[in-house]
Amino acid sequence: SLFVLRIDMEITLIVAVTNNNGIGFNKTIPWNVPADMQHFKDYTMGKPVVMGCVTRDSLPLRYLPGRDNYVVVRDIAVGVWKTNTTPCTYINGVEFFIDSMRENGTPEICIIGGAHVYELFMPHATKIVMSVMLGDYECDVFFPELNHAEWYAAGGSIKHEWGEIKTFKRAGVTP
């Protein structure tokens, strides 16, 4: 019998990639697709977003309005730390953070990159929302390779002139 893990909180990696899993170049996103940025905004609005320092620094305001912003850092004690100088909350310890969000009754958290943060949360993720860009872009940072024994395509893909949006769910997990 298949072991089925019941989840009470969706942990979603939301990412835009090239056809070879590239996600960035020189600390920026190498494409400019307003329609995909709107999809990202629509999906994440009102939900907690988790990012690394490079991703935070690449944002025009250094945070995303309308969402609780969490930044993964390594140079603080394990915990969840709020400061008055920025709208971001700093976190160290993936399991600690996930447990505290689950205890707060948070229905979904969105992991928005970059590569290191995706790798940290990948073992805990229950869903991936992936925009696959058409065209060739030079990248020096990549999204982790998906193990297709662990992940399956869910709900088909939505095709656009710039690429497609695919949703993956972790096998053996029920919402």
Side-chain angles (χ1 to χ4, degrees):
S1 73
L2 183 64
F3 172 73
V4 175
L5 175 68
R6 285 202 61 77
I7 58 161
D8 47 7
M9 183 175 72
E10 196 84 80
I11 300 172
T12 303
L13 309 184
I14 182 164
V15 63
V17 300
T18 62
N19 56 12
N20 68 344
N21 274 5
I23 59 172
F25 181 73
N26 206 12
K27 300 189 177 186
T28 61
I29 296 173
W31 51 82
N32 179 17
V33 179
D36 187 56
M37 295 303 286
Q38 187 62 50
H39 153 72
F40 173 88
K41 183 178 181 181
D42 292 344
Y43 190 90
T44 60
M45 188 56 69
K47 300 173 184 169
V49 293
V50 181
M51 70 194 93
C53 295
V54 173
T55 300
R56 177 205 58 200
D57 291 347
S58 73
L59 300 172
L61 299 172
R62 298 190 61 182
Y63 75 100
L64 294 172
R67 290 148 277 199
D68 288 338
N69 288 244
Y70 295 89
V71 180
V72 177
V73 290
R74 299 182 202 127
D75 56 355
I76 57 171
V78 171
V80 178
W81 304 88
K82 191 91 182 96
T83 69
N84 296 328
T85 55
T86 163
C88 298
T89 300
Y90 293 89
I91 62 173
N92 183 6
V94 170
E95 289 86 358
F96 180 90
F97 173 71
I98 290 170
D99 288 347
S100 65
M101 296 303 277
R102 188 173 274 125
E103 284 166 21
N104 291 344
T106 305
E108 182 177 15
I109 58 176
C110 297
I111 313 307
I112 67 168
H116 179 67
V117 175
Y118 288 133
E119 286 167 15
L120 285 175
F121 280 87
M122 179 69 90
H124 307 279
T126 56
K127 181 178 175 183
I128 298 171
V129 177
M130 179 183 286
S131 298
V132 183
M133 297 293 148
L134 290 174
D136 290 321
Y137 298 94
E138 186 176 357
C139 292
D140 56 10
V141 183
F142 297 86
F143 188 74
E145 204 61 46
L146 286 191
N147 174 350
H148 290 286
E150 271 183 73
W151 295 95
Y152 65 93
S157 75
I158 304 161
K159 292 196 183 333
H160 298 276
E161 65 281 354
W162 49 264
E164 63 181 313
I165 300 172
K166 299 178 175 182
T167 301
F168 297 92
K169 299 282 253 172
R170 187 181 290 280
V173 173
T174 62

